Amino acid sequence: MSYTLVFTDQYNRRAARFLKRHPDVRQPYLKTLQLLEANPFHPSLRLHALSGKLAGLHSVSINLSYR
């Protein structure tokens, strides 16, 4: 089963700015997006729901330093 990722304009701007500041994370970021699209529940993504102001959203990890 394959899932479809939907990106907002705001997300695209923030992601571009993040990758410009951290070019070394580009490859793990792309790999994370591919894995997320294929299987969002893969254990290495460490998918979890957010709370507070971000309730209703989820977070995944790119590596141990970035999510």
Side-chain angles (χ1 to χ4, degrees), residues 35-48:
L35 186 56
L36 183 62
E37 191 170 34
N39 179 11
F41 303 104
H42 192 279
S44 70
L45 293 174
R46 297 185 291 284
L47 174 74
H48 62 279

Side-chain angles (χ1 to χ4, degrees), residues 11-65:
Y11 174 84
N12 288 332
R13 285 191 303 271
R14 291 184 68 164
R17 192 169 42 231
F18 172 80
L19 292 172
K20 189 174 182 180
R21 291 183 194 150
H22 307 283
D24 54 314
V25 182
R26 179 176 292 279
Q27 207 51 35
Y29 170 77
L30 295 174
K31 182 179 176 187
T32 299
L33 289 180
Q34 290 174 342
L35 186 56
L36 183 62
E37 191 170 34
N39 179 11
F41 303 104
H42 192 279
S44 70
L45 293 174
R46 297 185 291 284
L47 174 74
H48 62 279
L50 299 175
S51 60
K53 288 173 44 176
L54 299 175
L57 300 176
H58 290 75
S59 175
V60 297
S61 295
I62 296 173
N63 58 28
L64 293 175
S65 299

